[in-house]
Amino acid sequence: MSQIAEQVHGKFKVFAGPLHEDNTIGPLAKNISRFVSESGVAAKSIGVEYLESADRLIITLGYRDDEPGYPVKISSVSLGKIDALGDDFAQLEGEMQKAGAQFPNIICHELYITDEHDFMMIFMTHEEQQG
């Protein structure tokens, strides 16, 4: 059943910008989706780092350009303020499960924490084309 070879990739694109006022990735989401669409690449992964001192997100997109592309959507949601500094991550895992249930066709996800200790989750989903 596993088709890991389809997920393997070695090309990357970097996107950067400030957090939106609600701590989501704001316009960066559309920029990533637009790049994927206009370039015709097959998106495989995302990575994220929040640079508190600069109030900027750095988001990386991993992709392949040797197979047909497909449309993706990037969404970010708040998981709330969670005490996840100990050894018990049950609350965080539960919030991640609830958030993920909102999105069909998840390709991958990432987590970042704001300087206000808001846990934010980014999802990259496959957007089926309407036909």
Side-chain angles (χ1 to χ4, degrees):
M1 179 93 183
S2 176
Q3 303 190 348
I4 191 64
E6 294 177 12
Q7 192 65 20
V8 173
H9 58 282
K11 301 214 175 202
F12 302 92
K13 176 81 174 157
V14 177
F15 300 85
L19 285 177
H20 199 255
E21 60 258 7
D22 62 358
N23 285 335
T24 64
I25 66 172
L28 286 174
K30 287 187 175 147
N31 294 347
I32 297 166
S33 295
R34 184 174 33 255
F35 169 79
V36 170
S37 175
E38 291 175 356
S39 301
V41 299
K44 301 296 180 179
S45 69
I46 52 174
V48 64
E49 182 65 35
Y50 175 57
L51 306 172
E52 293 91 351
S53 62
D55 192 31
R56 289 176 59 87
L57 279 173
I58 307 296
I59 299 176
T60 58
L61 172 75
Y63 65 92
R64 293 179 68 141
D65 61 3
D66 62 348
E67 67 179 65
Y70 40 83
V72 297
K73 181 176 182 182
I74 308 296
S75 305
S76 56
V77 296
S78 174
L79 303 179
K81 294 184 188 299
I82 299 171
D83 180 16
L85 300 178
D87 293 330
D88 182 6
F89 297 105
Q91 181 187 8
L92 178 58
E93 292 166 346
E95 293 301 321
M96 291 171 73
Q97 290 286 80
K98 281 195 278 187
Q102 301 174 50
F103 301 97
N105 305 317
I106 296 172
I107 297 170
C108 67
H109 70 282
E110 264 288 1
L111 187 69
Y112 64 94
I113 305 165
T114 70
D115 50 356
E116 295 98 23
H117 304 285
D118 288 322
F119 279 70
M120 304 295 294
M121 196 158 179
I122 300 175
F123 294 94
M124 181 167 65
T125 56
H126 174 246
E127 291 295 296
E128 296 185 28
Q129 296 176 334
Q130 305 297 318

